[in-house]
């Protein structure tokens, strides 16, 4: 047998294999270089687009200038998209590991380009024809054509941004390297927030013309919730007003107060057996308790029917505000002088309306007169165009985000536009992405002591020794009234009429568990007292009622643990009160 030597010529098949491997290696190197160079170029365009976006944000007061800047953004995002979607890049996306990184980049780039070209550009073109100041009422009327001209572009923008958010949201960030994972997570959060804002704009442009009477006269009952006496939605119904609209023109056509309403012999609207088991009949018997139920759609129906029975007029919807939301609006209108000589400002509105009035006036009739005068003057300022448009929009958005501005429409087509928005005031939603608790606070003292109470709530995921996931919700209520609170006016303390010592405060919290959750445990500390529990069900959600009674300086805490599938988000809705902290001071312990 002969053996080949190092000097022997290679066989033809061997040379072919070598050349093929060399070619593959060369192609791989060239491909990597191609992708790398294009990636760097795309990054440059996206950086330019980011800088231009910051310029747009700074020039929103000048829509024409903003529209010009958005055109530049669209050009940069289009170039970046082209650079990350060629055949070589697409082929590389199928490779192990590196493919996931490249796919994430191309997905985000395409989404950003869709937002810039298909969503922002049409909106900017429409917006460039008028200024923000155009929404200011003139002679008591708003130009409805502003909303109708924006509506098509706003709806297109909302749909395109929503699609982009869904595309980026589908990226599995667990497969990404650290330097890429963080920007992708930020993009997901940003697009989610932008989607909410775009959807709000689209719905507003669809709803506002009808509400302003574009198709004929409308009447809306505005109820002012008093946070000094808690109810699930915020506070008892106190002052009321009817705002009439017709062709964009607004007028204050009627006013009233809870004192104008009787106790009815039976609920004015049907209450389900479940609701009766939790709240009893009181929400349907007293206007003050219309906000005791957790769903504002039912509150709206109750208030509408009660107003019709007492005043003989039908309204097209019900709007709710509280004094905290009113203070936000006053930041836009500026100080308002009342007939009493008081100057109502964004800084003093909450204290004056929820405490000062009761310190000053003993007779409920005098208190009602003050509230009605304040409501009339604020409406006058808003309808006359005294409010600066941008701060006014920011005030309304903030009030809506905090569930201090609620809206129910008696017209099904209008109500459908409000579906799933915070304005609708619905029950907290648990789905594949979010697990949600609800905490609804109610006064049990028959007083205005809740002005002094602080309520906090928080939630967190816990993992047991068996590895099973549970969710824990924590609720804390504290009485921060002065030590001598018993000496406050009887209308504030309640005078012990419900068996609560003057200066103390009794609260009833209805804790709505996430849909489908199984209760594991519920424990409470009531400042040395014995916690009182009850409960039932509402719309398929288990409800735990917890009663606490606190003297000045005392606090009580409730901890509820449930078994439920873990989701990426854990939400806690709590009644908007005077002293609800933006950052909860309570924390889960998972003990």
């Amino acid at each position: 047998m002969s053996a080949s030597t190092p000097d022997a010529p290679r066989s033809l098949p061997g040379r072919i294999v070598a050349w093929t491997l060399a070619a593959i290696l060369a192609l791989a190197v060239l491909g990597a270089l191609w992708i790398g160079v294009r990636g760097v170029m795309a990054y440059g365009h996206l950086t330019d687009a980011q800088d231009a976006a910051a310029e747009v944000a700074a020039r929103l007061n000048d829509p024409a200038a903003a529209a010009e800047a958005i055109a530049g953004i669209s050009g940069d995002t289009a170039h970046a998209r082209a650079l990350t979607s060629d055949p070589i890049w697409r082929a590389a996306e199928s490779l192990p590991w590196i493919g996931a990184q490249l796919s994430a980049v191309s997905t985000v780039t395409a989404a950003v380009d869709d937002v810039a070209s298909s969503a922002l550009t049409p909106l900017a073109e429409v917006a460039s024809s008028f200024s923000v100041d155009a929404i200011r009422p003139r002679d008591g009327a708003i130009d409805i054509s502003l909303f109708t001209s924006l509506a098509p572009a706003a709806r297109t923008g909302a749909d395109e941004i929503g699609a982009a958010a869904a595309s980026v949201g589908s990226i599995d960030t667990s497969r990404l390297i650290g330097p890429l994972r963080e920007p992708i997570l930020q993009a997901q959060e940003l697009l989610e927030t932008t989607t909410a804002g775009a959807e709000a704009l689209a719905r507003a442009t669809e709803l506002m013309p009808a509400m302003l009477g574009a198709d004929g006269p409308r009447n809306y009952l505005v109820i002012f919730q008093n946070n000094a006496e808690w109810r699930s939605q915020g506070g008892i119904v106190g002052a009321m007003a009817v705002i009439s609209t017709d062709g964009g023109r607004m007028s204050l056509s009627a006013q009233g107060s809870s004192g104008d309403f009787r106790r009815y012999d039976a609920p004015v609207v049907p209450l389900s057996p479940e609701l009766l088991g939790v709240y009893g009949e009181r929400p349907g018997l007293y206007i003050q308790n219309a906000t005791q139920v957790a769903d504002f759609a039912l509150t709206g129906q109750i208030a509408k029917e009660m107003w019709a029975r007492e005043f003989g007029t039908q309204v097209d919807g019900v709007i709710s505000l509280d004094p905290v939301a009113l203070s936000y609006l006053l930041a836009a209108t500026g100080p308002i002088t009342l007939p009493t000589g008081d100057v109502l400002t964004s800084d003093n509105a909450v204290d004056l309306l929820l405490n000062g009035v009761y310190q000053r006036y003993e007779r409920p009739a005098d208190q009602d007169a003050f509230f009605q005068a304040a409501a009339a003057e604020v409406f006058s300022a808003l309808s006359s165009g005294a409010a600066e448009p941008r701060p006014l929009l920011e005030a309304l958005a903030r009030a809506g985000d905090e569930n201090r501005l609620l809206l129910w429409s008696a017209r099904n087509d209008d109500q459908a536009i409000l579906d799933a928005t915070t304005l609708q005031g619905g029950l907290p939603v648990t789905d594949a992405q979010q697990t949600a608790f609800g905490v609804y606070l109610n006064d049990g003292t028959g007083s205005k002591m809740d002005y002094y109470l602080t309520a906090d709530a928080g939630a967190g995921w816990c993992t047991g020794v068996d590895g099973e996931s549970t969710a824990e919700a924590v609720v804390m209520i504290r009485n921060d009234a002065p030590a001598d609170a018993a000496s406050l006016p009887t209308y504030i303390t309640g005078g012990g009429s419900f068996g609560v010592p003057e200066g103390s405060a009794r609260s009833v919290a209805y804790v709505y568990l996430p849909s489908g959750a199984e209760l594991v445990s519920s424990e409470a500390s009531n400042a040395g007292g014995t916690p009182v529990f009850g409960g039932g069900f509402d719309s398929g959600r288990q409800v735990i009622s917890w009663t606490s009674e606190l003297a000045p300086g005392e606090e009580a805490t409730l901890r509820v643990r449930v078994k439920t599938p873990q989701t990426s988000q854990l939400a806690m809705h709590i009644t908007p009160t005077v002293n609800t902290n933006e950052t909860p001071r309570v924390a889960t312990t998972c003990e």
Side-chain angles (χ1 to χ4, degrees):
M1 178 182 294
S2 62
S4 62
T5 66
D7 296 327
R10 292 182 179 178
S11 65
L12 180 60
R15 290 197 298 271
I16 292 176
V17 169
W19 292 339
T20 301
L21 290 176
I24 291 175
L25 180 60
L27 287 174
V29 172
L30 289 174
L33 288 173
W34 177 269
I35 291 172
V37 169
R38 293 174 73 85
V40 170
M41 293 171 64
Y43 177 79
H45 282 294
L46 291 176
T47 300
D48 291 342
Q50 182 180 15
D51 294 340
E55 180 183 351
V56 170
R59 301 171 67 181
L60 287 179
N61 286 325
D62 185 357
E68 182 179 347
I70 287 174
I73 293 175
S74 180
D76 277 315
T77 59
H79 279 100
R81 183 175 195 166
L83 288 165
T84 57
S85 60
D86 70 295
I88 295 177
W89 188 291
R90 289 300 186 194
E93 289 181 4
S94 62
L95 296 174
W97 185 76
I98 189 61
Q101 322 303 315
L102 298 176
S103 177
V105 171
S106 63
T107 298
V108 171
T109 304
V112 170
D113 183 46
D114 285 339
V115 170
S117 59
S118 302
L120 294 184
T121 298
L123 269 175
E125 291 173 352
V126 176
S128 64
S129 62
F130 63 88
S131 68
V132 177
D133 194 62
I135 67 171
R136 187 194 299 269
R138 287 173 173 78
D139 299 323
I142 295 177
D143 185 359
I144 296 175
S145 66
L146 298 175
F147 298 101
T148 56
S149 64
L150 268 174
R155 172 45 57 197
T156 298
D159 292 344
E160 291 290 344
I161 294 173
S167 176
V168 175
S170 66
I171 297 174
D172 182 2
T173 56
S174 66
R175 303 174 62 192
L176 305 180
I177 58 175
L180 183 58
R181 184 185 304 114
E182 189 60 32
I184 298 296
L185 289 173
Q186 291 176 359
Q188 290 175 336
E189 183 178 354
L190 177 61
L191 282 170
E192 183 178 339
T193 302
T194 306
T195 297
E199 186 63 33
L201 174 63
R203 296 189 188 214
T205 59
E206 294 166 4
L207 187 62
M208 287 304 295
M211 289 190 64
L212 289 169
D215 304 319
R218 294 281 187 97
N219 294 300
Y220 290 91
L221 175 63
V222 181
I223 60 175
F224 296 94
Q225 297 197 49
N226 189 322
N227 312 95
E229 188 170 348
W230 287 345
R231 291 294 184 271
S232 296
Q233 301 284 340
I236 64 166
V237 177
M240 286 165 277
V242 173
I243 295 178
S244 299
T245 63
D246 189 7
R249 187 165 298 280
M250 302 174 291
S251 61
L252 185 64
S253 57
Q255 286 189 279
S257 71
S258 57
D260 298 324
F261 292 77
R262 56 188 149 138
R263 178 200 184 278
Y264 301 95
D265 295 330
V268 298
V269 299
L271 301 178
S272 70
E274 283 189 341
L275 277 176
L276 291 173
V278 176
Y279 301 105
E281 293 187 331
R282 295 176 68 86
L285 303 180
Y286 300 92
I287 186 64
Q288 296 93 329
N289 286 332
T291 48
Q292 185 180 10
V293 295
D295 188 351
F296 187 70
L298 180 55
T299 293
Q301 296 171 51
I302 293 171
K304 176 182 184 295
E305 178 60 25
M306 289 184 176
W307 182 269
R309 293 192 184 190
E310 298 306 320
F311 292 90
T313 57
Q314 295 289 340
V315 296
D316 296 284
V318 178
I319 301 170
S320 173
L321 291 167
D322 68 7
V324 180
L326 192 63
S327 73
Y328 301 160
L329 298 179
L330 286 166
T333 64
I336 293 176
T337 302
L338 305 181
T340 58
D342 293 282
V343 178
L344 198 63
T345 71
S346 60
D347 294 326
N348 70 9
V350 174
D351 292 339
L352 181 56
L353 296 174
L354 294 182
N355 189 255
V357 169
Y358 305 118
Q359 300 267 10
R360 183 186 305 180
Y361 302 112
E362 293 184 6
R363 295 175 62 246
D366 295 332
Q367 299 163 5
D368 291 342
F370 187 93
F371 294 139
Q372 290 180 2
E377 293 298 329
V378 172
F379 174 79
S380 177
L382 291 171
S383 61
S384 67
E388 291 298 321
R390 184 166 299 284
L392 177 59
L393 293 176
E394 292 172 351
L396 292 172
R398 182 179 179 184
D401 289 342
E402 296 177 4
N403 297 108
R404 300 184 187 278
L405 172 62
L406 302 172
L407 171 61
W408 169 78
S409 177
R411 298 173 179 255
N412 292 335
D413 51 348
D414 289 354
Q415 186 67 4
I417 297 175
L418 296 169
D419 280 347
T421 67
T422 57
L423 292 178
Q424 199 172 46
L427 296 176
V429 175
T430 293
D431 53 28
Q433 288 75 43
Q434 172 181 272
T435 299
F437 289 88
V439 177
Y440 298 95
L441 306 170
N442 288 264
D443 169 74
T445 315
S447 71
K448 298 297 182 288
M449 285 296 297
D450 292 332
Y451 170 80
Y452 298 101
L453 266 59
T454 297
D456 284 313
W461 291 108
C462 305
T463 303
V465 293
D466 57 357
E468 189 172 52
S469 177
T470 58
E472 182 179 71
V474 185
V475 183
M476 186 278 289
I477 301 174
R478 178 178 175 83
N479 186 348
D480 290 320
D484 61 348
S487 64
L488 292 169
T490 300
Y491 199 84
I492 293 179
T493 66
S497 57
F498 285 86
V500 181
E502 292 183 272
S504 293
R506 178 185 296 161
S507 304
V508 181
Y510 296 97
V511 181
Y512 278 59
L513 305 187
S515 301
E518 177 186 342
L519 179 64
V520 176
S521 63
S522 58
E523 299 177 357
S525 61
N526 275 25
T530 302
V532 179
F533 287 104
F537 289 85
D538 182 4
S539 303
R541 299 164 174 82
Q542 185 173 354
V543 182
I544 297 174
S545 65
W546 167 53
T547 301
S548 61
E549 188 172 309
L550 304 172
E554 292 183 335
E555 70 179 37
T557 302
L558 170 70
R559 294 184 182 273
V560 176
R561 184 81 62 83
V562 301
K563 185 185 298 182
T564 184
Q566 186 165 347
T567 57
S568 59
Q569 301 174 40
L570 185 58
M572 172 67 79
H573 172 89
I574 183 170
T575 295
T577 69
V578 179
N579 299 311
T580 299
N581 287 305
E582 294 182 3
T583 303
R585 296 182 299 178
V586 297
T588 56
T589 61
C590 295
E591 293 178 351

